[in-house]
Amino acid sequence: MSAQHQRELQFLTRQMFVLVSPANLFWTNPVVLAKTREAGGLNLARGMQNYLQDIKDDLFGAAPEGTEAFQPGRDVAVTEGKVVYRNRLIELIQYSPRTAQVRPEPILIVPAWIMK
């Protein structure tokens, strides 16, 4: 087996173990089971309602609930920028200052792994 195939097999094996980890399945996760007992199962019902609403919103192109409260430029920053580096994993964006009070130090924002 080549080194590349060995790495791929190791990656897939790790992913399979994570997929079936007891912490990732609600019926084997002790924290979720305790919350379910406390809530009488209502937490699972609410979660299913949220899931179905998300599917419906996605099918009909509706914005997520609560986004109407945010206005660009008031609640959400709007700044000119350009992509200075891009590869399969990241996109590095350099934003242009909009005021004289912009700090000179660059900042690197790393999103949560789930968003990658």
Side-chain angles (χ1 to χ4, degrees):
M1 180 182 297
S2 72
Q4 175 65 25
H5 286 123
Q6 186 176 6
R7 286 191 302 275
E8 289 174 7
L9 183 60
Q10 288 172 342
F11 173 78
L12 290 173
T13 304
R14 275 194 318 272
Q15 295 302 310
M16 291 302 296
F17 279 127
V18 168
L19 178 69
V20 296
S21 169
N24 289 332
L25 306 170
F26 77 88
W27 58 85
T28 57
N29 185 318
V31 175
V32 174
L33 291 175
K35 296 280 186 185
T36 302
R37 277 191 297 277
E38 290 172 14
L42 291 177
N43 60 330
L44 298 180
R46 281 191 305 270
M48 183 55 72
Q49 286 176 336
N50 292 338
Y51 175 66
L52 294 174
Q53 184 65 45
D54 289 346
I55 290 174
K56 182 179 147 193
D57 290 347
D58 192 41
L59 286 173
F60 294 106
E65 187 176 323
T67 56
E68 62 278 351
F70 296 98
Q71 293 182 7
R74 186 191 79 188
D75 304 304
V76 181
V78 179
T79 297
E80 294 289 326
K82 62 181 178 180
V83 177
V84 293
Y85 178 78
R86 177 185 293 151
N87 66 20
R88 289 180 44 217
L89 181 62
I90 69 164
E91 188 171 88
L92 182 61
I93 305 169
Q94 180 178 8
Y95 292 102
S96 304
R98 297 202 48 161
T99 67
Q101 297 174 340
V102 174
R103 298 184 65 87
E105 295 83 16
I107 182 171
L108 176 64
I109 300 171
V110 180
W113 67 269
I114 196 84
M115 299 170 77
K116 293 183 180 177

